[in-house]
Amino acid sequence: MKLYVSLMVIVGASVIATNGHAWEARLECDGGYTYKTCAESNPNGEYPSGCPIINAMEMMQYRTSERCVNTNIVWARGVGIQGCDTCVNGGSIQTATTTLLGNCTAIYTYCECRTTATCTNGAWTTIRAGYQSRTRSTAVCNTCKTSTEYRCAPGYYGTTSNGSTGCTKCPTVDGVAGTSAGGNGTTITSCYMATGTTFSNTTGSGRYDGNSYYCN
């Protein structure tokens, strides 16, 4: 019975580590200089501009790449070390070690991410005259994160970030409206008369033998 209870404790701890909870960065210093705040670790003002976090940029990378949330910081002698205590989107907790001033060893955690998800974007659909949208799906670790993407519809040119403004209809020549490939052109020169389009004006009638693009 005691063996069974011990195994349960080990398995439980393994699950906690995999999910990335209850991890904290730590500092091991000769003089025991470990504090909870920047101010406590900087009593003599050695760093007048504030206490730097030596791996702050590294941690920012994990945050912006949607791997890590809920970071924690510990301090020693006016410097800090930050770690991830919760990974998201399938990231897993890893540890790293570095040396700080005053013979302090910093052990911190970060979130490792392997992109294993296969994601597919949705089809472009018209949401209003001149505008289309689709669901964009991006792989983050083993998770597909979705967002809405907008573009100008075929027959329009320009750019749009909201699906409401920024697109202009291609000009009409001899009563025939020009067209464009949806989302591929930002200027009027992306508009054209398609091959085979017929026209008629005061000088006669005819047909475009090849795509005829507008000049700016």
Side-chain angles (χ1 to χ4, degrees):
M1 181 60 69
K2 289 184 178 180
L3 176 61
Y4 178 77
V5 172
S6 297
L7 286 175
M8 288 296 288
V9 171
I10 293 173
V11 171
S14 176
V15 171
I16 290 174
T18 300
N19 290 336
H21 300 291
W23 290 90
E24 286 189 1
R26 70 180 190 274
L27 294 170
E28 298 175 351
C29 302
D30 291 347
Y33 295 101
T34 302
Y35 306 92
K36 292 183 179 179
T37 69
C38 167
E40 288 174 346
S41 70
N42 187 27
N44 299 320
E46 294 93 340
Y47 296 88
S49 61
C51 301
I53 302 173
I54 65 166
N55 63 336
M57 292 301 296
E58 182 180 4
M59 289 298 110
M60 181 60 67
Q61 171 189 335
Y62 300 123
R63 297 292 292 270
T64 56
S65 62
E66 299 186 65
R67 302 179 185 184
C68 165
V69 296
N70 300 330
T71 60
N72 56 82
I73 305 173
V74 291
W75 306 92
R77 293 184 175 178
V79 295
I81 191 78
Q82 188 176 27
C84 294
D85 59 16
T86 305
C87 295
V88 292
N89 296 324
S92 60
I93 287 285
Q94 305 293 323
T95 59
T97 303
T98 190
T99 301
L100 301 183
L101 298 174
N103 295 322
C104 296
T105 299
I107 298 105
Y108 63 95
T109 53
Y110 64 95
C111 296
E112 185 178 75
C113 171
R114 293 184 178 181
T115 303
T116 58
T118 301
C119 308
T120 303
N121 295 328
W124 288 106
T125 59
T126 299
I127 54 176
R128 59 181 55 85
Y131 298 89
Q132 293 184 324
S133 70
R134 71 173 178 179
T135 299
R136 182 176 179 84
S137 186
T138 304
V140 179
C141 300
N142 64 2
T143 303
C144 289
K145 305 289 284 187
T146 59
S147 60
T148 302
E149 186 177 14
Y150 301 98
R151 74 173 188 180
C152 297
Y156 291 75
Y157 65 93
T159 58
T160 179
S161 60
N162 56 17
S164 299
T165 59
C167 299
T168 303
K169 187 175 178 61
C170 288
T172 296
V173 177
D174 295 329
V176 180
T179 189
S180 66
N184 292 328
T186 60
T187 67
I188 195 173
T189 55
S190 63
C191 295
Y192 63 93
M193 290 296 180
T195 301
T197 300
T198 59
F199 65 90
S200 178
N201 55 37
T202 57
T203 62
S205 60
R207 182 183 64 192
Y208 290 95
D209 187 17
N211 291 343
S212 180
Y213 285 83
Y214 287 87
C215 297
N216 201 359

